[in-house]
Amino acid sequence: MTTTTATTSTPTPTATSTTATSSAGVTRNTAQQVLTSLSTGSGIDTASLVTALVQAQFAAKNAAITAKNTTLTAQISAASTLKSTIANFSTALGSLSGGGTLQTQPVSSNPTALGVSAISGTKTGNLSSSVTVTALAAAQGSRSTAVADRTATIATGTLTLKLGTATYSSDGTSMTGFTANAGSSVSINVTDGSLDGIASAINAAKAGVTASVITDQDGKAVLSLKGTTGATQAFTLQADDSSSKLADFNVGYGTGATKTTLTGTAANAQLTVDGVSVQRSSNTITDLVTGVKLQLNAVTSGPVSLTSSRPTSALTQAVSDLVDTYNQVYASAKSLTDTGTGDLKSDTAAKTLLRSLQTLTTKSLVSTGTSGAPTTLAQLGVATNRDGTLSVNTATLNKVLAAYPDEVEAMFATTSGNALGLSSTISGISLAASSSITGLGASMSRYTKAQTELTDAQAKITTQSDAMSTRLTQQFSTMNSKVAAYKATQTFMTNQIAAWNKSN
């Protein structure tokens, strides 16, 4: 695995080594330059001397900081990579488990009229039922007479909404009787008396009736009301003040509903399951066939057969994919924690993650009371090789799948379906590895903090370097001034002696 390393910039010595030996060499060379300059009487290049001396003084510290920073950068990158790797493994496995492809699926002989799907965490392997749909659940609806301007004020006041059981006229356009449910009466205060305002007030009550304003073909507005399905979800709507224009929107029996029309009647779904006649208030039913959600879409002309289809091939492929992905994750963790070359060789969180992966094949992934049923990956034929990677014994896997399909499915069930399963186990390993307290998240924080401290140390060295440079520059400047004075005196004396000798 390739990691990207970023290092903190440090002052680079010019024409000098950053090792301690080189520093000593630079010091000796500098001293020789000074002696040579003094003995020959030439001017000293103090800028170069100061730079060389300062670099020599701090070369070892700068090199140590650079090396440590490089190591920390590699550790941060490695921890981030490993954290992402196990997180991606967990996410991928969770998506596979939750996708439904690894769970036995119910099959309908007439899916257009009667749709079926498996309820998570249940077993449908032995499904065999017959369902006949004779009526769909329906919701009561109503519409008002058309209004020219939906924003114009009609009236304000209070409406009372009640839910209950109704009897309807033969054509279903009006009520002939109504019995309210206990405690279902809701008072609706209309303060914005426009059609839009009335609809908003009804919706704000959240009483089981939805209001909408629809523009008809003539450009006028109609108030449409819709209840929920079920025979006990019929509704009436009545203005408390019968003389108010709000009474134009009355709905139902005995409410003076002369300007509204019913567009639907409340009714239960009626069906026969394995010879037993039943009713339900919704077209989505989860409590009739164990482990199966029924979706009633249309009345059937006869019985619809419900059977199941086991995902044997999908489970075989899932085990193979699991092993392949595991081997990639394991290789990454093992490489990064290698005692010789691993960037995370001393990282406790990384080592813990590796140990968790190594025990995966022997961890119990399902609780079962079936004698001889598999509970671990090892019992499915997943073996651990000498190098720590996994391999699959296909013959063993096929044999176990044939004998215990439900238990194998349970191992791959979602977290909600099996708290011990693979999805839950890998998710737990990933969460522990990502922890900002004890996991790789904490390691990354620790390494980042250490890098910050290195930055502070580098800044301190820079400050010390600048101070030393200033001090040496001043010292050499003073020395140059004195040498220049000495040389001027020497020249004067030499010239004077020469003059004396000439006069003699």
Side-chain angles (χ1 to χ4, degrees):
M1 181 178 63
T2 303
T3 56
T4 302
T5 303
T7 57
T8 304
S9 300
T10 56
T12 303
T14 303
T16 184
S17 172
T18 58
T19 65
T21 302
S22 298
S23 299
V26 170
T27 303
R28 288 195 296 271
N29 292 337
T30 301
Q32 186 62 43
Q33 292 173 12
V34 174
L35 292 174
T36 300
S37 297
L38 290 174
S39 64
T40 59
S42 61
I44 299 175
D45 185 356
T46 58
S48 296
L49 286 176
V50 168
T51 299
L53 289 171
V54 170
Q55 289 176 344
Q57 176 67 25
F58 296 100
K61 291 182 178 180
N62 282 329
I65 288 178
T66 298
K68 182 62 175 176
N69 189 65
T70 299
T71 298
L72 288 170
T73 299
Q75 289 174 322
I76 292 172
S77 177
S80 176
T81 298
L82 190 55
K83 179 181 174 183
S84 297
T85 299
I86 187 62
N88 291 339
F89 184 18
S90 176
T91 299
L93 184 58
S95 298
L96 181 63
S97 298
T101 58
L102 303 182
Q103 185 179 12
T104 294
Q105 296 297 321
V107 178
S108 168
S109 63
N110 185 358
T112 301
L114 178 60
V116 292
S117 58
I119 298 174
S120 179
T122 61
K123 298 178 182 180
T124 59
N126 298 317
L127 176 62
S128 179
S129 291
S130 175
V131 178
T132 301
V133 180
T134 55
L136 296 178
Q140 180 179 304
S142 72
R143 58 152 292 167
S144 70
T145 55
V147 175
D149 185 356
R150 61 190 293 168
T151 62
T153 299
I154 298 171
T156 59
T158 304
L159 294 169
T160 298
L161 176 69
K162 295 180 180 180
L163 299 179
T165 303
T167 53
Y168 300 96
S169 60
S170 58
D171 61 2
T173 60
S174 62
M175 284 185 186
T176 58
F178 179 80
T179 301
N181 297 333
S184 69
S185 181
V186 177
S187 181
I188 301 171
N189 187 26
V190 178
T191 56
D192 176 355
S194 66
L195 201 62
D196 284 331
I198 295 171
S200 296
I202 293 172
N203 289 332
K206 297 180 180 180
V209 174
T210 301
S212 58
V213 178
I214 302 173
T215 302
D216 65 14
Q217 61 184 4
D218 298 323
K220 294 182 178 181
V222 174
L223 178 65
S224 174
L225 302 181
K226 189 68 176 288
T228 54
T229 60
T232 61
Q233 298 302 304
F235 64 89
T236 62
L237 185 69
Q238 181 175 13
D240 288 1
D241 182 358
S242 60
S243 64
S244 169
K245 293 292 289 182
L246 283 179
D248 290 349
F249 303 99
N250 285 357
V251 176
Y253 174 76
T255 62
T258 59
K259 296 187 178 181
T260 58
T261 303
L262 296 187
T263 57
T265 59
N268 286 336
Q270 299 180 30
L271 59 163
T272 302
V273 180
D274 294 331
V276 180
S277 297
V278 296
Q279 294 189 24
R280 290 293 184 272
S281 62
S282 172
N283 290 316
T284 301
I285 304 171
T286 59
D287 63 347
L288 282 180
V289 181
T290 303
V292 179
K293 180 172 72 173
L294 303 178
Q295 182 60 52
L296 313 186
N297 300 317
V299 172
T300 62
S301 57
V304 176
S305 297
L306 302 185
T307 56
S308 59
S309 174
R310 289 196 179 278
T312 303
S313 297
L315 283 169
T316 301
Q317 185 62 49
V319 174
S320 178
D321 292 344
L322 171 72
V323 168
D324 289 342
T325 305
Y326 172 93
N327 287 340
Q328 294 175 25
V329 176
Y330 179 80
S332 177
K334 186 176 181 181
S335 174
L336 292 173
T337 56
D338 183 272
T339 55
T341 60
D343 291 326
L344 300 177
K345 58 187 176 183
S346 300
D347 191 283
T348 302
K351 292 179 179 179
T352 299
L353 170 59
L354 184 63
R355 287 193 296 271
S356 296
L357 291 173
Q358 290 170 331
T359 61
L360 183 62
T361 58
T362 57
K363 187 180 185 304
S364 180
L365 300 175
V366 63
S367 58
T368 176
T370 306
S371 176
T375 59
T376 67
L377 286 176
Q379 291 172 329
L380 293 185
V382 178
T384 302
N385 304 319
R386 288 187 176 183
D387 62 357
T389 58
L390 304 181
S391 59
V392 183
N393 186 318
T394 305
T396 300
L397 176 59
N398 290 338
K399 183 178 179 180
V400 174
L401 271 171
Y404 304 101
D406 287 336
E407 286 74 13
V408 177
E409 279 187 43
M411 289 186 184
F412 285 88
T414 59
T415 299
S416 59
N418 180 12
L420 299 176
L422 272 169
S423 182
S424 301
T425 299
I426 298 300
S427 177
I429 292 174
S430 176
L431 288 174
S434 302
S435 172
S436 59
I437 299 176
T438 59
L440 291 168
S443 298
M444 293 172 65
S445 297
R446 186 170 63 254
Y447 298 144
T448 301
K449 180 180 179 182
Q451 269 197 328
T452 300
E453 292 173 350
L454 282 182
T455 300
D456 295 340
Q458 183 64 69
K460 184 177 180 180
I461 289 176
T462 300
T463 299
Q464 293 173 343
S465 297
D466 291 343
M468 182 178 179
S469 178
T470 299
R471 186 177 70 256
L472 289 178
T473 298
Q474 292 173 345
Q475 290 174 346
F476 279 121
S477 177
T478 300
M479 180 189 69
N480 278 338
S481 297
K482 291 181 179 180
V483 169
Y486 294 153
K487 286 186 176 182
T489 300
Q490 182 185 28
T491 300
F492 171 78
M493 293 179 67
T494 299
N495 292 337
Q496 187 64 46
I497 292 171
W500 290 342
N501 290 334
K502 185 176 181 180
S503 64
N504 291 334

